[in-house]
Amino acid sequence: QVQLVESGGGLVQPGGSLRLSCAASRISFSMYTMAWYRQDPGKQRELVATITSGGSTDYADSVKGRFTISRDNAKRAVYLQMNSLKPEDTAVYYCNADRRVLTTNLNYWGQGTQVTVSS
């Protein structure tokens, strides 16, 4: 079965940095659009950043200039470099893989990793 496994979360002070990783297995990784979402308890899940199979990236306005998404197809991994972290970045961060094949949408989620920004 498809697996997306996130790692790299933790507790960091405001202004600090973290790098999240997501390792994928049992999918044709290079063909998927990969994304990071986040969710705070009581709030809707929010799209943070995406990277297409071709390497094009997009970011939520709230993280532009601070976060960078990247992928390594050889390692079947996607990363989220988070700099200048703010308390409002605190959330569970989820990795997502998405691909449309004809009329079928293939979409998978990881289990999430907690990021807490606090002094």
Side-chain angles (χ1 to χ4, degrees):
Q1 83 201 46
V2 174
Q3 279 193 315
L4 299 176
V5 180
E6 299 99 333
S7 61
L11 173 64
V12 64
Q13 291 188 342
S17 297
L18 280 176
R19 187 189 193 215
L20 305 183
S21 299
C22 171
S25 59
R26 299 185 179 91
I27 61 171
S28 300
F29 180 81
S30 63
M31 304 183 79
Y32 279 74
T33 290
M34 301 300 297
W36 288 96
Y37 288 74
R38 65 186 181 189
Q39 187 170 24
D40 216 10
K43 296 183 180 179
Q44 281 192 324
R45 192 168 290 191
E46 173 191 21
L47 177 61
V48 175
T50 61
I51 184 165
T52 67
S53 57
S56 297
T57 59
D58 197 14
Y59 299 90
D61 287 343
S62 58
V63 308
K64 278 181 182 175
R66 300 189 297 122
F67 290 11
T68 302
I69 189 171
S70 61
R71 66 190 297 160
D72 185 332
N73 288 337
K75 295 183 178 179
R76 306 164 68 84
V78 62
Y79 308 99
L80 187 68
Q81 178 66 44
M82 305 186 295
N83 299 328
S84 302
L85 282 161
K86 305 175 181 180
E88 51 263 43
D89 295 318
T90 295
V92 177
Y93 283 70
Y94 296 90
C95 177
N96 177 267
D98 188 81
R99 179 189 175 196
R100 177 165 292 275
V101 180
L102 298 178
T103 59
T104 301
N105 196 60
L106 304 175
N107 190 274
Y108 305 102
W109 291 93
Q111 82 289 349
T113 185
Q114 176 70 48
V115 171
T116 302
V117 185
S118 175
S119 54

